Amino acid sequence: MKTHVFGARLDRRVLLSTLAALPLPALLRSTAVLAQDAGSPLASWNDGAAKQAIIDFVRMTTDRSSPKFVPPAERIATFDQDGTLWVEHPMYTFVTYSLERVPILVKAKPGLKEVEPFKTVLSGNRDEIAKLTTPDLEKILAATLTGMTVEEFKAEATNWLETARHPRWNRPYTELVYQPMLEVLRFLRASDYKTYIVTGGGQDFARMGSGKIYGIPPEQVVGTASATKYEYDKDGRPTLFKEPKLMLFDDFGGKAEGIHLMIGRRPRAAFGNSTGDQQMLEYTGAGDGARLMMLVLHDDAQREYAYGPAQGLPDTKVGTFTQALYDEAKKDGWTVISMKNDWKRIFSFD
Amino acid sequence: MKTHVFGARLDRRVLLSTLAALPLPALLRSTAVLAQDAGSPLASWNDGAAKQAIIDFVRMTTDRSSPKFVPPAERIATFDQDGTLWVEHPMYTFVTYSLERVPILVKAKPGLKEVEPFKTVLSGNRDEIAKLTTPDLEKILAATLTGMTVEEFKAEATNWLETARHPRWNRPYTELVYQPMLEVLRFLRASDYKTYIVTGGGQDFARMGSGKIYGIPPEQVVGTASATKYEYDKDGRPTLFKEPKLMLFDDFGGKAEGIHLMIGRRPRAAFGNSTGDQQMLEYTGAGDGARLMMLVLHDDAQREYAYGPAQGLPDTKVGTFTQALYDEAKKDGWTVISMKNDWKRIFSFD
């Protein structure tokens, strides 16, 4: 994190309170400067190594006279979602959704009320819920994210996404998207890059609203996927039933495997924020020509969160950024994005 | 098949020999007429119900004033490959590739020489090879299409596609593509449809050259897929190894399942030619609004092949078109394309 510009950052709240105290002509001039800034492709980024890495990469791969020019058809960029595009704390959004479905599930299947791990979830005891093991969590995910038709799931998840609120900001999860990353997505697309989400979270869940939130259509969302089964419903209509059977585990090495299955080409650029993204970045970096690998570091407790062993902070088990990952990034020339130093603002509502 | 125009078809060879005998001014006029025809989006189609169904569908889904208008983002069209986009007889191309890899496989693993079903394939006895069971064939497919890195597979399959020749035409398989279907692909793309291949054949195999052959990028090819495994090679480079483990069986109901996994939306249009495409067409047709479902009928033994129970011909087990499928098409308003009557020419070299 020592590679980043610490001093030159403009505190937006200080700026705003200063603006409020200024006479009108000066205010108009300042607004003009802000507007000009807003028109640049990475308006919410502070100048520094991270912003420059993105600009340099796009320039060298899209300039026909560059030796590192990449034909438009090969311009693929992949983005982890949780912690890279939107907030993942205190818990991954798809897991929060899954936990909140448990009471509804138990209403439909009252037999589960006294069965673990559902009993613990129903207790509402946060400490006990936090202690649930991975197999417990997998049981809950399977029980709440499968066992219905894809249309039923879509209706339920869409409704939840529209109504649920994040406990810290009391805003819909879909607003807790990093404005600087939205700008990267748009900048890459404007440069003929196809942008993909490659998430360890549920694929069907991540596809809900991906178009509205990120401008990424469902067919460009790769995620952990359960199998579906083609069936006919009672009226003889064809339907796809979500089975409790894991098909693609899209995390760690599975991200590279998922990229091969769903995209079939090696990305030119990859963005992540945790050890679950390590292999996706390695796979991207192992290709020839220009490649861009970036990791978002959550080091801004004030505006968002700070966590992870790479900063000497506790491992929260949600978006773990280990020291080994940090060392690999330095060794392999991946760029670490400091939320605190590289981002002028975190959210569009900031 | 009685719904098609029989009489009005112009025989191209008769036309060409007539042209050769004409004085120059008449020839120039005729050429002008041909050129005009060639400029229309479906130049290789005879007028009739099939051509009209395509034109009507595109018109009603792209005209903003139409009650059946479809927003561009939702314009998805899926195409079976074998027998729908290119020749599938006497054997699916990916199976031919697999059989031709057996001697190379046995050279690397001599122990397989005396082991069935490899022994039968090595014998070259066509009658015996034709009698191989489905489990035998699956063994051969697994042994020849997996067990190497994705890069190795790509290099081998690309080389084969460039050098192998179809026994009947003595041309590369990649030239045995139906010109009328290439025109449909282009017409749909020009109308902002995203075109996908959805094949029962191997996904990695179908992705080789899909861009060059059909203008379809690898990420828009869905097929039967084996799992890959993320590993590091002896030099520590990340690599994806093709495992002999079936992940997605993309045929019959699996086509609808594969579409959900890889695209995540219901297609607006679907094209097939056999019972393996039945569920893809049903799934497409079960959506609301305008939908287009079409089946290619191989009824042209002279210019290509004629086969299938729906015409009272033997079931060759390659691209089976049953009477039941034909009945379902009539009942559900799917359009059957007669190669003999609807297509002016079959191949670009005709």
Side-chain angles (χ1 to χ4, degrees), chain B residues 76-149:
Chain B
I76 304 280
T78 56
F79 293 79
D80 167 59
Q81 180 173 31
D82 297 304
T84 299
L85 294 178
W86 72 359
V87 172
E88 65 183 353
H89 267 234
M91 182 46 78
Y92 302 120
T93 307
F94 78 98
V95 175
T96 303
Y97 171 72
S98 176
L99 293 172
E100 293 194 8
R101 293 298 300 173
V102 169
I104 299 154
L105 175 74
V106 169
K107 204 173 270 179
K109 297 179 180 176
L112 293 177
K113 204 172 170 177
E114 297 300 322
V115 177
E116 290 295 356
F118 305 102
K119 194 178 166 186
T120 295
V121 176
L122 288 172
S123 75
N125 184 326
R126 276 164 193 265
D127 293 338
E128 291 303 313
I129 293 170
K131 279 185 214 152
L132 290 173
T133 62
T134 301
D136 281 340
L137 206 55
E138 283 170 0
K139 254 182 229 167
I140 296 164
L141 290 170
T144 54
L145 304 180
T146 69
M148 71 288 284
T149 69

Side-chain angles (χ1 to χ4, degrees), chain A residues 76 150-151 194 196 203-204 207 217-220 225 228-230 232 238 240 247-248 253 256-257 260-266 278-279 282-283 286, chain B residues 76 150-151 194 196 203-204 207 217-220 225 228-230 232 238 240 247-248 253 256-257 260-266 278-279 282-283 286:
Chain A
I76 304 281
V150 298
E151 281 79 13
K194 236 176 180 173
Y196 282 81
Q203 184 180 84
D204 282 344
R207 280 175 170 170
E219 61 268 25
Q220 285 165 224
T228 59
K229 195 165 165 40
Y230 185 82
Y232 302 94
L240 288 170
M247 193 168 193
L248 171 66
E257 296 159 14
H260 178 70
L261 176 71
M262 308 271 294
I263 311 178
R265 333 191 187 219
R266 197 189 294 266
Q278 178 195 338
Q279 291 84 350
E282 288 174 349
Y283 183 61
Chain B
I76 304 280
V150 298
E151 281 80 14
K194 235 177 179 172
Y196 281 81
Q203 183 179 87
D204 282 344
R207 280 173 170 171
E219 62 268 26
Q220 286 166 225
T228 59
K229 195 166 164 39
Y230 185 82
Y232 302 94
L240 288 170
M247 192 168 194
L248 171 66
E257 295 159 15
H260 179 71
L261 176 70
M262 308 271 294
I263 311 177
R265 334 191 187 218
R266 196 189 295 264
Q278 178 196 339
Q279 291 84 349
E282 288 174 350
Y283 182 61

Side-chain angles (χ1 to χ4, degrees), chain A residues 146-254:
Chain A
T146 69
M148 71 289 284
T149 69
V150 298
E151 281 79 13
E152 285 164 356
F153 175 81
K154 191 175 174 178
E156 290 164 5
T158 302
N159 177 56
W160 185 85
L161 264 187
E162 283 168 1
T163 53
R165 295 285 182 278
H166 189 283
R168 173 164 163 185
W169 287 274
N170 194 30
R171 286 176 179 272
Y173 291 90
T174 53
E175 288 183 16
L176 299 176
V177 173
Y178 307 135
Q179 177 63 24
M181 294 307 288
L182 289 181
E183 292 167 4
V184 173
L185 287 170
R186 279 190 218 115
F187 183 38
L188 286 171
R189 286 197 293 263
S191 310
D192 287 332
Y193 275 86
K194 236 176 180 173
T195 55
Y196 282 81
I197 291 172
V198 178
T199 174
Q203 184 180 84
D204 282 344
F205 185 83
R207 280 175 170 170
M208 306 300 105
S210 64
K212 224 191 258 183
I213 307 171
Y214 305 111
I216 294 178
E219 61 268 25
Q220 285 165 224
V221 176
V222 181
T224 295
S226 63
T228 59
K229 195 165 165 40
Y230 185 82
E231 294 178 342
Y232 302 94
D233 69 13
K234 59 179 170 23
D235 303 315
R237 271 182 315 222
T239 184
L240 288 170
F241 189 80
K242 281 171 73 70
E243 293 203 299
K245 188 181 136 195
L246 187 66
M247 193 168 193
L248 171 66
F249 175 64
D250 194 58
D251 214 359
F252 302 95

Side-chain angles (χ1 to χ4, degrees), chain A residues 306-326:
Chain A
Y307 49 92
Q311 301 174 85
L313 294 170
D315 182 0
T316 55
K317 310 283 183 193
V318 173
T320 300
F321 196 137
T322 60
Q323 184 61 42
L325 181 64
Y326 189 79

